[in-house]
Amino acid sequence: MLTRRSVLATLSAASTLGFLPAASQAQNSRPLVMTDARGDYGVLAPYAHAISGPGWLYTSYVFDTLVDQDVDGALVPGLAQSWQVSADHLSWELTLNPAARWHDGRPVTTADVVFTFGYMRANPHPFVALDAVETVETVAENRVRILLSRPDAGFAGSTLVTLMVLPQHIYEGQLAPGQFTDPAAATGSGPYRLASFDKAQGRYLLERNPDYYRGTPRFEQVAIIRMTPEAALTAMRAGEIDVISDLPYDLVPQAQTAGIAVLTTASNHPERIVFNHRGLFASRELRQALAHAIDRVSLAEIAYRGAAVPAAPGYFQPGSPWASEPPPADYGYDPAKAEALLQGQSWARDGAGRWQADDQPVQLRLVTDGRYGRVATVLAEQLDAFGLSVDLRVLEVAALQQEVQADTFDLMLRATSTIGDPGAILGRVLGRSWSNDRYPDPTGEMRDLLEAQAAAADPQERLRLLHAFEALYARELPSLMLVNALWAMAHDDRVSPAFLPDGVASGIPMALHKSMFFR
């Protein structure tokens, strides 16, 4: 039988990097061991980590941002111990914590902050939006001023919580940061430093930063290891690991029966139908008809075997801090209403009950990739039962992208994020990228609302505008939110993770924010 000692010994023996030295038996001297089914997210450095939620999150243990979040998702000091905003919301003055140090002992300075903004403008980072930033300059010792070209209501809640500050003395002169994977690339200012990384084995060892300016992290070491959820559950029962970051929902009952603490949440990355607005579904009434023809409750039960709930059609999902209460009217399963809407668009059934438009049979081309194949199959069966023939194509992502960009589809099935600061919504809904809703917004009303909320200085006015957008989205259906998958993670009593209400930073739906290392 494996023990915690044998798990740690296996880690050390499997890696020439000497992963885990012998640990004492003190509760917090033993490494906190976290499992992840993927394991390899690249070097934990801002440009070297995998472009994914977990990649950014694990890197945030090593690199700090100017503004951070607490366990409730509220904005709290990070490298900036305080900040002030001008009345017009165009000038931000941030005072750095003078105790902040890089892992090599050098102080974190305003020069590092100014350098980081300039470096990320020259080398764009996919998680960091700098389009509103005009200038960044040092105005006093430990104080930096950021001037914006336009008000940005989400500047602190998006840019300042996602931009990891870089050490100028390390990154200056690095012309290809994505290829900078030397150990020095992981010189951060966060609570842990990267001690070793085994790419082949998908294992990381992080060591506590004893001089961390925000206090001493609880654990001397944190190990992140690749392990299947099934194996991880067995190991957790034996007391060998502390956290399963990605517990499949169908294993939740098994974990709970074993007395293991489990946290669950709706992913708020619902799978949705993206309509071809330049084709058959330019008509809002046809989009609404399809919404009533789909049984989303049954879809969640069959395709996800209970590991999902029906998604809300108004973009924001229940529990979102941006959602209105009560929510916009839903599209319940109502075949009669769907039929009436189709007939109102001059559609009719033939003698076999199949739908026709302009006396021609209707066949909907539904495209997706392999991740959503099961949901797509159940969806196609429902539409077929309603009399709509479906040509289902499960494609490689590159081929799917080509289909959408060429407008040679009617419906696409794909997930989207609905969490994080709403500043990114305009691109997700109106943007022309193949994975966006690509909604043409014929009246311009949706763009007006999204642009106004992004610039609103008053939080209540911003919320009012977002609620108006939510109602408009539910009426117009740029896409149709179908099912919201349920996610889970497991942990022992050495650590207290929590899902943040609107996700970590840009909306990462994981319960492993670094605040758990301090409580």
Side-chain angles (χ1 to χ4, degrees), residues 99-115:
R101 295 288 184 274
W102 298 110
H103 292 157
D104 60 10
R106 297 197 189 192
V108 178
T109 68
T110 58
D112 293 310
V113 176
V114 174
F115 167 78

Side-chain angles (χ1 to χ4, degrees), residues 7 21 73 132 142 150 212 262-263 293 400 420 453 498:
V7 168
N142 287 331
R150 54 177 170 76
Y212 189 53
V262 175
L263 297 178
L400 178 63
Q453 67 83 22

Side-chain angles (χ1 to χ4, degrees), residues 66-317:
L66 290 164
V67 175
D68 204 348
Q69 295 165 286
D70 65 15
V71 68
D72 297 316
L75 300 182
V76 296
L79 286 169
Q81 65 181 9
S82 64
W83 56 90
Q84 293 180 326
V85 187
S86 62
D88 60 7
H89 276 235
L90 293 177
S91 176
W92 293 69
E93 286 202 8
L94 295 86
T95 301
L96 299 189
N97 191 316
R101 295 288 184 274
W102 298 110
H103 292 157
D104 60 10
R106 297 197 189 192
V108 178
T109 68
T110 58
D112 293 310
V113 176
V114 174
F115 167 78
T116 299
F117 275 89
Y119 192 83
M120 289 195 173
R121 187 185 297 279
N123 302 277
H125 191 287
F127 279 32
V128 181
L130 296 178
D131 52 299
V133 176
E134 194 160 276
T135 62
V136 184
E137 61 181 348
T138 297
V139 293
E141 184 178 7
N142 287 331
R143 197 160 80 245
V144 66
R145 178 184 296 135
I146 303 170
L147 295 180
L148 304 183
S149 59
R150 54 177 170 76
D152 183 356
F155 186 63
S158 57
T159 301
L160 297 184
V161 299
T162 58
L163 180 143
M164 295 178 180
V165 177
L166 304 170
Q168 181 177 7
H169 64 285
I170 299 290
Y171 277 81
E172 193 168 39
Q174 293 294 334
L175 302 180
Q179 300 172 28
F180 181 34
T181 58
D182 293 348
T187 304
S189 58
Y192 286 90
R193 69 176 186 86
L194 180 60
S196 53
F197 165 49
D198 185 330
K199 181 176 180 64
Q201 298 294 327
R203 295 166 177 162
Y204 299 85
L205 178 64
L206 309 179
E207 291 185 346
R208 180 164 63 192
N209 176 3
D211 300 317
Y212 189 53
Y213 63 101
R214 296 169 67 188
T216 304
R218 289 178 53 202
F219 305 101
E220 289 185 6
Q221 297 173 320
V222 174
I224 304 170
I225 64 175
R226 179 165 58 213
M227 186 179 291
T228 67
E230 293 78 8
L233 189 55
T234 299
M236 181 167 278
R237 284 176 177 147
E240 300 155 6
I241 64 171
D242 302 293
V243 173
I244 304 173
S245 66
D246 48 0
L247 184 70
Y249 204 78
D250 59 1
L251 294 181
V252 168
Q254 189 176 336
Q256 292 174 329
T257 299
I260 295 171
V262 175
L263 297 178
T264 63
T265 188
S267 69
N268 292 332
H269 282 59
E271 293 181 29
R272 77 202 197 281
I273 290 176
V274 177
F275 298 100
N276 185 347
H277 295 281
R278 295 187 175 186
L280 189 63
F281 287 97
S283 164
R284 177 182 68 192
E285 286 74 19
L286 291 182
R287 301 193 296 270
Q288 293 175 338
L290 204 72
H292 284 297
I294 296 169
D295 185 349
R296 288 178 290 130
V297 173
S298 178
L299 186 65
E301 291 175 350
I302 296 172
Y304 270 91
R305 299 184 176 93
V309 293
Y315 192 89
F316 299 117
Q317 302 303 301

